[in-house]
Amino acid sequence: MGRMTEESVARSGWVFVLYGVIALAFGIAMLCWPERTVQVMVMAFGLLALIDGAVSLLSVFRKDIALPNWLLIAYAAASIGLGVLALYQPLWLAEAMLWLLALWLIVAGIARLVFATLLRKLVSGEWLLALSGALAIALGVLFLAKPDIGLHTIALWVAVGALLYGAFQLLLGWRLLRRR
C-alpha cells in the first residue's frame, strides 16, 4: 500500500468537490420535492429489507448459523414482506411509520413528564426534561393530526443535512485544490 502524502491528498480535492456538488443537488431536490424524497427513502429502505430477507433465507441452508431455521424463515418472511410493501406502497408505509413515530413521541413525552416530576426534589433544572416531554407530546399530536407535515419535516431535515454536508465537502475540496 502506498504512502499518503500531502500532495496526493491535495490532488484528490476534486473528489470532495464532486461529492459536495452531488450532496447540494440532492438537498435542493429534497427541498423542491419533499414527498418524492420520502418516497425514495422508504423505497431504499424496502430494497435493504428485501436484501436482508434474502440473505436470511439463504442462511437457512448454512450449518454454521446459531439461530434456529424457523426463526430465520420468520425473519426472512417479515423482511421480504416489509420490503415488498415499501417498494409497492412507499407513501402508505411512510405514513404508517409516521403514525408509529407519533405514538412513540407521545408515550416518550409522558414518560419524560413523569420522570421530571419524580426528579424535581432531587435535581434542579428538571423543567428542561419536562419541557422536552411536552414538546415530544406536541410533536406526536401534530404528526397524528397532520401526517403530511411530519413527512415534509423529515424530508426537510434530511435536505438540511445534505446541504450542510455538501457545503462542507465543497469547502474541503476547494481548500485541498488550493494547496496544490
Side-chain angles (χ1 to χ4, degrees):
M1 184 175 221
R3 255 188 50 204
M4 190 180 330
T5 65
E6 186 175 333
E7 184 180 335
S8 66
V9 172
R11 276 195 309 251
S12 64
W14 68 270
V15 174
F16 293 101
V17 169
L18 181 63
Y19 283 160
V21 168
I22 291 169
L24 287 173
F26 180 68
I28 291 168
M30 289 171 55
L31 289 174
C32 294
W33 302 287
E35 63 284 338
R36 297 297 262 164
T37 299
V38 171
Q39 184 178 4
V40 168
M41 286 190 306
V42 171
M43 290 176 81
F45 168 76
L47 186 59
L48 288 173
L50 276 176
I51 292 168
D52 189 38
V55 168
S56 296
L57 197 56
L58 291 174
S59 295
V60 168
F61 301 105
R62 293 187 52 191
K63 302 295 182 213
D64 59 342
I65 302 294
L67 294 173
N69 284 345
W70 68 267
L71 185 57
L72 284 169
I73 291 169
Y75 180 75
S79 294
I80 291 169
L82 187 62
V84 168
L85 185 61
L87 289 174
Y88 288 103
Q89 295 293 324
L91 292 178
W92 180 87
L93 186 62
E95 192 170 321
M97 290 170 72
L98 187 67
W99 282 78
L100 291 173
L101 174 63
L103 293 173
W104 175 77
L105 283 167
I106 292 168
V107 170
I110 292 169
R112 289 178 191 160
L113 287 175
V114 169
F115 191 51
T117 303
L118 296 172
L119 279 180
R120 76 174 185 262
K121 293 180 182 171
L122 301 173
V123 178
S124 64
E126 79 288 345
W127 65 273
L128 291 170
L129 184 59
L131 179 62
S132 76
L135 290 173
I137 292 169
L139 189 59
V141 169
L142 177 66
F143 284 178
L144 286 176
K146 302 271 188 188
D148 286 350
I149 289 175
L151 294 175
H152 286 91
T153 301
I154 292 167
L156 176 67
W157 281 107
V158 172
V160 168
L163 290 171
L164 288 172
Y165 175 79
F168 291 145
Q169 291 296 305
L170 272 177
L171 182 62
L172 175 62
W174 181 70
R175 291 181 78 189
L176 289 174
L177 289 173
R178 271 194 26 200
R179 287 189 109 164
R180 286 178 67 188

